[in-house]
Amino acid sequence: MNYKQFRHCGLDVALTMLSGKWKPIILYHLFHQEQIRFTDLWRIIPKVAKKVLLDHLKQMEAHGLIIRTEKNTFPPEVYYQISEKGRAMGPALTALELWANEYAADEVKDLQDDKKKKYLIRKESLS
Amino acid sequence: MNYKQFRHCGLDVALTMLSGKWKPIILYHLFHQEQIRFTDLWRIIPKVAKKVLLDHLKQMEAHGLIIRTEKNTFPPEVYYQISEKGRAMGPALTALELWANEYAADEVKDLQDDKKKKYLIRKESLS
DNA sequence: TGAGCAGGTTACTAAAAGGTGAACTTCGGG
DNA sequence: CCCGAAGTTCACCTTTTAGTAACCTGCTCA
C-alpha cells in the first residue's frame, strides 16, 4: 500500500471539518435525504440542543459541506442539503465506517446501545 | 454511489478515535516510520506539550491504534508504532486527504503556511 | 557526589466545545 | 390584536481539551 499521498495537513483540514459531536449524524441524514427542514432534523436527532445543532450547521455551511436554502413563506422554512463538496466526502466516510465495523465492532456496538438508550429517553419526552 | 453502508455509529467511533489536535500528525509520522521514540516524536512535532503528546499517545494505545514498547535500557527507550488496526485505517485516511486536496485546497494551503510559521518558531528555540 | 537524560506524573490555568432557557422576529389565523 | 410557529439569537453555565511548569525515577558518567 502506498501512503505517499497521506499528508497530515489535508487530513487536518478534513478532520477539522468533521469535528463536532453531532456532525456524523447530521451528515448521515443529509446523505440519505436530499433536503431536510431544520425542525425535522432537530426532532430526528436525539438530545441535541437547538443552538448547538444550529452552530454545527453554520460551521458546515461555512466549510461548504452543506447548502442552506430559505423560503420566505410563513412560518419560515429552511432547508439544508448536502453540497457537491460534501457529497464528494462520501466514499471517505464510508471507508471510515467500514473500518470501524471491521476493526472496532465492540466500540460501535457500545455506541449503538448508548444512543438507543438516549433515543428512548428522548422519545418519551415527545408526545 | 451507494451509501447503504454509511451509518453514523461507526463513523462516530472512527472520528472519536481520530479526534485530538495532534493525532493526524502523529499518525502521519507513525505511518511513515515503522517505530519512533517518544522524544524524537516530541522533537519532530512543533509546539506540542509533552503532556498532551503523552495523553494522545495513551488514548491511541487504549484504542488499539498504536503499540507502545518499552526497553528497559538506560536511559529508558520507549518506541511507538502503528498497529494492524491502525494501519488498516490508512486507506480511509488517504481518501480524506485526497478529498481535502481536491475540494479544500485553499484551507489546506492556509494550514500549511500556518504550520510552517509555527515550525520556524520552534526551530529557533531549539539548539 | 551530583549533573543529566528519557519518560512520565502532578497540579494548575486557559480556551474551546457543548448545553439550557428565554426572548426576538414576522407573519397568518382565530 | 394577541397568540403561535420556525428559525434564530442571547446571556449564561458546565465539561472537555489543550497548555505550562515543576518535579520524580533510575540510572549513567564525569
Side-chain angles (χ1 to χ4, degrees):
Chain A
M1 219 156 287
N2 173 8
Y3 294 107
K4 287 215 177 68
Q5 301 280 11
F6 171 176
R7 305 201 31 293
H8 58 274
C9 290
L11 189 56
D12 265 1
V13 167
L15 289 176
T16 298
M17 290 184 182
L18 291 171
S19 84
K21 188 164 170 182
W22 305 99
K23 282 185 190 160
I25 195 174
I26 293 172
L27 283 170
Y28 173 74
H29 288 294
L30 292 184
F31 261 93
H32 287 86
Q33 242 162 110
E34 280 315 305
Q35 64 171 202
I36 187 163
R37 275 182 80 165
F38 176 78
T39 306
D40 291 338
L41 191 56
W42 181 70
R43 258 185 299 123
I44 283 171
I45 299 179
K47 305 277 279 180
V48 213
K50 247 171 157 189
K51 192 210 103 190
V52 175
L53 182 56
L54 220 55
D55 287 351
H56 284 207
L57 289 169
K58 269 190 204 160
Q59 282 179 32
M60 293 167 85
E61 199 200 355
H63 288 146
L65 296 181
I66 64 174
I67 295 167
R68 198 188 88 111
T69 32
E70 198 174 343
K71 296 193 182 170
N72 32 1
T73 54
F74 313 92
E77 293 172 49
V78 175
Y79 291 91
Y80 290 92
Q81 60 185 296
I82 199 90
S83 68
E84 255 319 284
K85 182 172 174 179
R87 190 162 291 281
M89 220 189 218
L93 300 181
T94 302
L96 280 177
E97 176 67 32
L98 292 175
W99 174 87
N101 287 331
E102 184 162 2
Y103 287 90
D106 299 351
E107 290 95 329
V108 173
K109 208 184 156 305
D110 290 352
L111 229 192
Q112 278 174 342
D113 293 348
D114 199 46
K115 291 210 170 177
K116 212 172 285 175
K117 236 179 289 170
K118 282 186 192 164
Y119 186 61
L120 289 175
I121 292 164
R122 176 71 174 283
K123 243 174 158 176
E124 270 169 32
S125 65
L126 294 175
S127 66
Chain B
M1 218 156 290
N2 174 6
Y3 295 107
K4 288 216 176 67
Q5 299 281 10
F6 170 177
R7 305 199 31 291
H8 58 274
C9 290
L11 190 56
D12 265 1
V13 168
L15 289 176
T16 298
M17 291 185 182
L18 291 172
S19 85
K21 188 165 172 185
W22 305 99
K23 282 185 191 162
I25 195 174
I26 293 173
L27 284 171
Y28 174 73
H29 289 293
L30 292 186
F31 261 94
H32 287 86
Q33 242 163 110
E34 280 315 306
Q35 64 171 199
I36 187 163
R37 277 181 80 164
F38 175 78
T39 306
D40 291 338
L41 191 57
W42 183 70
R43 257 185 299 121
I44 284 171
I45 299 178
K47 306 277 277 182
V48 213
K50 236 174 161 190
K51 192 210 104 188
V52 175
L53 183 54
L54 269 163
D55 286 351
H56 285 207
L57 290 170
K58 269 189 208 162
Q59 282 179 32
M60 292 167 84
E61 199 201 354
H63 287 146
L65 297 180
I66 63 175
I67 295 165
R68 198 189 88 112
T69 31
E70 198 174 342
K71 296 193 183 171
N72 33 359
T73 53
F74 323 93
E77 293 172 49
V78 176
Y79 291 90
Y80 290 92
Q81 61 185 295
I82 200 89
S83 69
E84 256 318 286
K85 183 172 173 179
R87 189 163 290 281
M89 220 189 218
L93 299 181
T94 303
L96 280 177
E97 176 67 33
L98 292 174
W99 174 87
N101 288 332
E102 184 161 2
Y103 287 90
D106 299 352
E107 290 95 329
V108 173
K109 208 184 155 305
D110 289 352
L111 228 193
Q112 278 175 342
D113 292 350
D114 199 45
K115 291 212 171 174
K116 212 172 286 175
K117 234 178 290 167
K118 282 185 192 162
Y119 186 60
L120 290 175
I121 292 165
R122 177 72 175 286
K123 243 175 154 177
E124 271 169 33
S125 65
L126 294 177
S127 75

